[in-house]
């Protein structure tokens, strides 16, 4: 048997182009017992529609629902007062987090040991080390006539004794 018409109706059904009569034809077709195997997968869809059209609410449904609604006790909801402290508590928490982060950040800026040297001495020593370690060819060494005062190692006597 050729089921081309049913397959065409199914294609139109999936694109929502069928009329009510064509959908009735599909329901009637899928309510039969003999259906090809490739169309068997659609039987449950059309059988479900047929079953659901038969299922109806009882006549006293509305009355039962209204009775259930009336039985429930009416509860009143009180508005809760919120103090100013409770309103501002999230801001206090945020400010505390910011303060902690800034404190930790400030602590990270300072070295952990207390053995700081005089910055002027450290600068002079670093410059002298840079000059000493520079690669100087003999030709460049001949051209240097005098050493500037900055490049000499300057260590104050009170720091040198430590």
């Amino acid at each position: 048997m050729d089921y081309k018409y049913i397959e065409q109706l199914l294609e139109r059904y999936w694109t929502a182009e069928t009329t009510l009569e064509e959908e009735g034809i599909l329901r009637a077709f899928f309510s039969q017992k003999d259906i090809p195997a490739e169309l068997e997968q659609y039987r449950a869809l059309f059988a479900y529609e047929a079953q659901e059209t038969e299922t109806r609410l009882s006549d006293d449904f509305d009355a039962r629902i209204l009775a259930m609604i009336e039985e429930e006790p009416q509860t009143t909801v009180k508005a809760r007062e919120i103090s100013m402290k409770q309103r501002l508590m999230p801001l206090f928490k945020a400010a505390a987090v910011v303060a902690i982060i800034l404190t930790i950040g400030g602590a990270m800026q300072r070295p952990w040991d207390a053995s700081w040297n005089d910055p002027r001495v450290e600068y002079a020593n670093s410059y002298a080390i840079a000059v000493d370690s520079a690669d100087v060819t003999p030709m460049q060494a001949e051209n240097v006539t005098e050493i500037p005062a900055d490049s000499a190692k300057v260590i104050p006597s009170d720091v040198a004794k430590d």
Side-chain angles (χ1 to χ4, degrees):
M1 186 169 189
D2 193 20
Y3 296 105
K4 293 277 187 199
Y5 180 66
I6 298 298
E7 291 174 359
Q8 289 173 355
L9 283 180
L10 279 174
E11 290 297 321
R12 291 186 57 210
Y13 180 79
W14 299 130
T15 58
E17 297 174 350
T18 56
T19 62
L20 293 176
E21 292 82 24
E22 292 170 336
E23 289 178 18
I25 293 171
L26 286 173
R27 272 191 232 92
F29 174 78
F30 285 107
S31 64
Q32 298 174 8
K33 294 192 185 225
D34 295 330
I35 295 178
E38 65 267 4
L39 298 176
E40 187 67 36
Q41 60 185 347
Y42 305 118
R43 178 192 292 261
L45 173 70
F46 292 101
Y48 174 78
E49 287 181 4
Q51 289 174 353
E52 287 303 311
T53 56
E54 295 171 3
T55 306
R56 304 269 180 202
L57 295 176
S58 64
D59 294 334
D60 65 336
F61 177 77
D62 292 335
R64 286 186 296 153
I65 293 295
L66 290 174
M68 289 172 55
I69 291 172
E70 290 173 0
E71 287 177 8
E72 292 181 14
Q74 296 293 333
T75 57
T76 58
V77 178
K78 287 182 150 182
R80 193 175 74 182
E81 285 189 32
I82 299 175
S83 67
M84 186 60 76
K85 181 180 174 184
Q86 289 174 329
R87 286 183 187 166
L88 296 177
M89 190 57 70
L91 294 176
F92 293 153
K93 290 178 182 179
V97 168
V98 169
I100 289 171
I101 290 173
L102 289 176
T103 302
I104 292 173
M108 297 303 288
Q109 295 296 322
R110 299 188 187 270
W112 294 108
D113 61 348
S115 63
W116 275 29
N117 295 328
D118 186 17
R120 291 175 289 168
V121 174
E122 290 297 322
Y123 175 73
N125 287 340
S126 68
Y127 188 79
I129 291 170
V131 169
D132 290 344
S133 65
D135 292 333
V136 178
T137 62
M139 180 73 94
Q140 292 172 335
E142 292 175 2
N143 293 335
V144 176
T145 56
E146 60 183 60
I147 298 174
D150 289 20
S151 66
K153 288 188 177 182
V154 178
I155 301 176
S157 60
D158 60 336
V159 175
K161 291 179 185 176
D162 290 344

